Amino acid sequence: MSRMTSNLLDEAIGLDDSTSLSPLVGRLLLVEDCVETSGAFVLHHLLKRAFSSPHSSNAVIFIAFSQSFVHYERVLRKLGCNLAAQRDSHRFFFLDMLTVGCSDRSGKETGEGVLVGLYCKIQRAVSALIQENKRHVTIVIDDIPLLEVAANGSSNHVLDFLHYCHTLTSEIGGSIIALSHEDVYLDIERPLILQMEYLADVLIKVGPLATGIAKDVHGQLTVLNKPVGGLEENLRNRVHNFQFYIKENVPFWLLTRRSCPTSSIY
Amino acid sequence: MADSICRALRDGALEGELAPALTLKDSINSPFGFHAFAHVLMQLSSNILAGKSQSRGLVLLAFSRSPAYYLELLKKSGGNVGSSEKWIQILDCYTDPLGWKERFTGGEKISNVHQEVSNLSHLCTNVRDMDNLFSSIITLGKAGFVGEGTVRFCVAIDSVTDMLRHSSTSAVAGLLSNFRSNDKVSSTFWLVHEDLHEEKVIAALEYMSSMVATVEPLTPSPYVCESSLNTPYLEHSSTKGRFHVRIKRRNGRVRVICENFKVEQSGIKFTSISSEDAVVNQGLVPKVQFNLQLSEKEQIDRARVVLPFEHQGNGKPIQIYDGRRSLTDSKDDDKPLSTSEKSKDEGAGKGEIIYFRDSEDEMPDSDEDPDDDLDI
């Protein structure tokens, strides 16, 4: 059951498309959640998905600002995926940024310096992966507001950093998955999140149930696929909307409320 | 009328005048500005290749997409990018805009980009320096295609938003206005995301451009509803929208044009609104069982009806039918009662009002007040 139902999210993102090797190539996937409903489970699901796919060329670079490796390992083990083993086989690079902010405050390193250093680490990891012929690199950032904190609150530097990650992934054919919190930016007039929405090719919004609290529904998910560039062959501009229920970090997709191509809306 | 802006960019600048400039802007509700930008770029490049335009070449500042992407795009549209005559030069502000990669590699260039791409693109590692940016564009233009005499080239910027992130408004405005006044520049156009900047910044850009094209959603949607997850995304999901163009002519006339567009696999398609509206109007009358409209015959018959008192003053005797058989009509007893003109029968097609009194109880038509005897 789990296998069949969890395909709802994959289908919405386009991961179910078996014709293409990696449908997220060169794309940026942005997950937006809020205080009431955490969207971390989407990251976990995509992480598991990256390792369970048959292509051994998949690799993940995980930039963790919010949780430690042990946390992710425990969660992923529940989902049936051994992160430590993946790390040992050089398919999973974990960059622990939890302590970076603290140590750098004492030093004279600027916000930009931190991010340049981080980018250098990523690029080094990517070059190493390419030499091992693992070309489908996914960069996961958890999460953007904490990245902004590490950059001394400069959203410009965050965007620069994302831009550089984007140049890297577009060159080698990888993808970026980033988690951000919507309500952190509610009162700001031209927030970072809006700029990120422009950058994103796939936007996943996680929020509480619109109709109120329900016992069996933990929240709802809206997936928006943007048409990109004008070069892409298949134009997926679709909105998918469905509800989920999480049991011990394992998400169950409940039902599709709306999953319609554009033409039926207008 | 997306054609008219392409034509204006193609025709270029007059001697001693500022080059025509186009601002393309979009917002998150209809984020198809880049599609429109690509459309203009491809139109202009096909004009350049065909030798129809004033400019002989194009310099593209690539901020948001890689040079490889653009070459792919131009190839797809049939542009001959690999030809010996270089008609396009790309200033690559995408790959390493701030010099991070350069700093990391210590200056040595690690790149696995295609030879064809590296032939046409030139890396810029400090986009904050506007003077440097300007001079390298002019150098590229002059060295690339401007040989002798008055040959000009176009300048395209794919994201002024990114430029504004790296430097101040005044510096960017200075750069853009330098382009317009340079005598080697034929025309220039740029893309900006409207909702990421303050209104005054957008206004400054619009002042500097002779044409402003806005990509809008079909229905103005309130993006304010943050709490609801659904509503704004219906808007998002549409690949249709409205293309709003304002063209300022040199003679001072301002022309405002509106068009619909639809983003398709092959790119953006423009359709004029009037033709679409006609189709909509035809289907606008709801399908009901009743006949809401008159047929042509019914309309003619209706026009023929002579309303009571309408014939007054035509030289005919004035007869007011009060619903009873009047004395003058007593000879036509056998005929049905009708307006008295019936007996004269001037034409078979004459309209008439047929009226029978229901009973003697019914009061005859008159001007008298029926309640006259009431003493109020």
Side-chain angles (χ1 to χ4, degrees):
Chain A
M1 176 203 164
S2 163
R3 188 169 171 267
M4 196 190 80
T5 44
S6 63
N7 277 341
L8 263 182
L9 177 61
D10 299 340
E11 198 183 299
I13 302 171
L15 286 172
D16 62 323
D17 192 1
S18 54
T19 50
S20 63
L21 201 62
S22 175
L24 284 179
V25 163
R27 307 186 86 184
L28 196 154
L29 194 147
L30 180 66
V31 184
E32 276 180 29
D33 67 357
C34 51
V35 175
E36 294 89 353
T37 319
S38 165
F41 72 90
V42 180
L43 285 195
H44 302 149
H45 175 77
L46 293 171
L47 204 56
K48 185 203 164 199
R49 176 93 203 177
F51 291 127
S52 61
S53 98
H55 308 294
S56 59
S57 58
N58 282 357
V60 175
I61 298 174
F62 201 101
I63 308 160
F65 285 94
S66 67
Q67 302 282 355
S68 64
F69 178 76
V70 182
H71 169 84
Y72 295 110
E73 199 201 3
R74 279 182 192 146
V75 173
L76 265 288
R77 194 176 294 154
K78 274 259 161 59
L79 294 173
C81 172
N82 190 343
L83 272 192
Q86 300 289 355
R87 185 174 59 173
D88 294 341
S89 62
H90 300 287
R91 288 183 72 191
F92 183 69
F93 275 80
F94 190 82
L95 297 174
D96 190 351
M97 303 300 289
L98 276 174
T99 51
V100 163
C102 318
S103 62
D104 281 335
R105 285 289 175 276
S106 52
K108 286 208 172 68
E109 198 157 18
T110 57
E112 190 182 2
V114 175
L115 296 189
V116 174
L118 181 58
Y119 173 73
C120 288
K121 277 185 198 164
I122 294 171
Q123 184 160 354
R124 220 171 279 148
V126 166
S127 330
L129 283 171
I130 285 175
Q131 278 174 4
E132 289 178 42
N133 211 12
K134 296 194 177 75
R135 294 191 70 87
H136 292 118
V137 182
T138 307
I139 300 174
V140 184
I141 304 171
D142 183 18
D143 51 46
I144 296 292
L146 288 173
L147 177 69
E148 200 179 343
V149 171
N152 282 338
S154 159
S155 57
N156 250 346
H157 290 152
V158 174
L159 288 170
D160 291 338
F161 175 74
L162 281 174
H163 177 90
Y164 269 95
C165 288
H166 194 262
T167 60
L168 206 58
T169 50
S170 71
E171 203 174 300
I172 60 167
S175 54
I176 305 173
I177 299 169
L179 175 68
S180 185
H181 305 310
E182 194 177 16
D183 33 15
V184 176
Y185 300 101
L186 266 188
D187 293 336
I188 309 170
E189 198 171 326
R190 265 162 284 270
L192 170 67
I193 202 140
L194 193 57
Q195 311 214 17
M196 292 198 50
E197 281 180 18
Y198 271 111
L199 289 176
D201 303 304
V202 183
L203 184 63
I204 302 179
K205 285 216 171 203
V206 185
L209 194 62
T211 48
I213 298 170
K215 195 179 149 199
D216 298 329
V217 182
H218 288 163
Q220 66 183 45
L221 214 73
T222 308
V223 181
L224 169 76
N225 272 290
K226 275 196 215 168
V228 220
L231 264 185
E232 274 62 17
E233 293 301 328
N234 54 346
L235 192 71
R236 299 167 169 265
N237 190 13
R238 281 156 161 257
V239 175
H240 296 259
N241 200 323
F242 44 87
Q243 297 160 352
F244 61 85
Y245 173 79
I246 300 172
K247 198 175 176 187
E248 301 203 21
N249 277 314
V250 183
F252 291 95
W253 317 113
L254 287 177
L255 63 153
T256 312
R257 282 207 298 128
R258 189 190 303 120
S259 165
C260 37
T262 314
S263 52
S264 68
I265 295 170
Y266 284 103
Chain B
M1 296 297 148
D3 298 343
S4 58
I5 56 175
C6 292
R7 247 178 279 134
L9 291 175
R10 178 195 71 189
D11 293 343
L14 285 175
E15 200 61 51
E17 297 273 349
L18 289 181
L22 165 70
T23 299
L24 277 164
K25 52 178 190 171
D26 68 351
S27 61
I28 195 75
N29 287 328
S30 188
F32 302 113
F34 187 79
H35 294 80
F37 180 84
H39 175 82
V40 174
L41 183 70
M42 288 193 285
Q43 292 285 321
L44 192 60
S45 57
S46 66
N47 278 329
I48 291 171
L49 276 173
K52 284 185 202 158
S53 66
Q54 186 195 36
S55 57
R56 288 284 160 267
L58 191 141
V59 178
L60 174 66
L61 268 84
F63 277 92
S64 63
R65 302 288 197 288
S66 64
Y69 178 92
Y70 280 109
L71 292 189
E72 193 67 28
L73 189 75
L74 290 168
K75 262 186 206 163
K76 247 191 177 175
S77 72
N80 190 4
V81 276
S83 65
S84 54
E85 40 166 341
K86 291 180 184 175
W87 61 272
I88 184 163
Q89 296 283 333
I90 302 175
L91 188 65
D92 182 3
C93 303
Y94 170 81
T95 310
D96 194 8
L98 301 170
W100 288 11
K101 287 184 184 176
E102 196 183 47
R103 211 187 303 179
F104 170 58
T105 55
E108 103 186 67
K109 194 172 184 299
I110 48 147
S111 177
N112 47 2
V113 287
H114 204 266
Q115 182 64 31
E116 191 177 64
V117 178
S118 59
N119 272 347
L120 295 173
S121 73
H122 306 266
L123 198 65
C124 172
T125 53
N126 186 8
V127 295
R128 286 179 180 146
D129 187 353
M130 285 290 144
D131 295 336
N132 184 26
L133 211 57
F134 178 73
S135 60
S136 48
I137 288 166
I138 297 298
T139 320
L140 272 184
K142 280 184 179 166
F145 0 85
V146 181
E148 69 292 328
T150 57
V151 185
R152 291 168 181 254
F153 61 94
C154 287
V155 179
I157 304 168
D158 73 353
S159 176
V160 171
T161 299
D162 280 336
M163 288 177 92
L164 286 166
R165 205 157 58 70
H166 294 303
S167 43
S168 68
T169 311
S170 55
V172 173
L175 179 80
L176 296 178
S177 106
N178 278 344
F179 283 144
R180 289 198 69 192
S181 50
N182 193 291
D183 62 349
K184 294 291 176 220
V185 175
S186 154
S187 58
T188 167
F189 61 104
W190 54 75
L191 171 67
V192 66
H193 298 307
E194 194 177 9
D195 45 0
L196 290 181
H197 305 284
E198 291 173 55
E199 272 171 40
K200 59 179 183 184
V201 178
I202 298 295
L205 288 175
E206 289 185 20
Y207 270 118
M208 279 189 299
S209 39
S210 54
M211 292 170 284
V212 178
T214 317
V215 175
E216 291 168 344
L218 269 182
T219 47
S221 89
Y223 191 64
V224 281
C225 44
E226 306 280 354
S227 57
S228 164
L229 278 165
N230 309 328
T231 27
Y233 293 98
L234 289 179
E235 205 56 61
H236 267 295
S237 69
S238 172
T239 51
K240 292 177 188 169
R242 194 147 282 188
F243 194 65
H244 205 266
V245 183
R246 195 176 64 223
I247 301 176
K248 284 185 201 159
R249 296 267 180 79
R250 278 193 310 119
N251 59 12
R253 269 182 60 195
V254 177
R255 206 171 143 211
V256 176
I257 317 160
C258 209
E259 257 187 340
N260 285 343
F261 71 82
K262 186 173 187 339
V263 177
E264 291 172 356
Q265 282 189 14
S266 52
I268 194 165
K269 289 269 181 304
F270 294 95
T271 45
S272 68
I273 286 177
S274 55
S275 67
E276 248 177 42
D277 278 358
V279 178
V280 169
N281 277 340
Q282 274 182 0
L284 210 64
V285 178
K287 286 187 174 59
V288 288
Q289 291 176 334
F290 318 110
N291 193 6
L292 291 176
Q293 281 160 329
L294 295 176
S295 71
E296 205 166 309
K297 183 180 178 299
E298 284 167 334
Q299 274 177 342
I300 294 169
D301 287 348
R302 188 181 165 179
R304 281 212 189 110
V305 173
V306 180
L307 294 174
F309 311 111
E310 216 175 26
H311 60 273
Q312 284 189 30
N314 286 356
K316 293 166 196 166
I318 299 170
Q319 288 169 321
I320 301 171
Y321 175 62
D322 64 357
R324 285 177 291 195
R325 302 176 190 200
S326 57
L327 288 173
T328 48
D329 287 337
S330 57
K331 54 188 184 243
D332 304 322
D333 269 352
D334 51 332
K335 292 183 180 173
L337 284 173
S338 68
T339 42
S340 51
E341 273 74 39
K342 171 77 181 167
S343 57
K344 285 164 190 155
D345 202 6
E346 285 175 356
K350 192 85 180 173
E352 57 182 340
I353 296 172
I354 302 168
Y355 171 62
F356 295 100
R357 277 178 78 194
D358 288 342
S359 69
E360 284 298 317
D361 297 340
E362 197 179 332
M363 292 288 289
D365 293 339
S366 75
D367 292 336
E368 286 172 35
D369 183 359
D371 293 333
D372 202 23
D373 53 341
L374 288 177
D375 189 22
I376 302 172

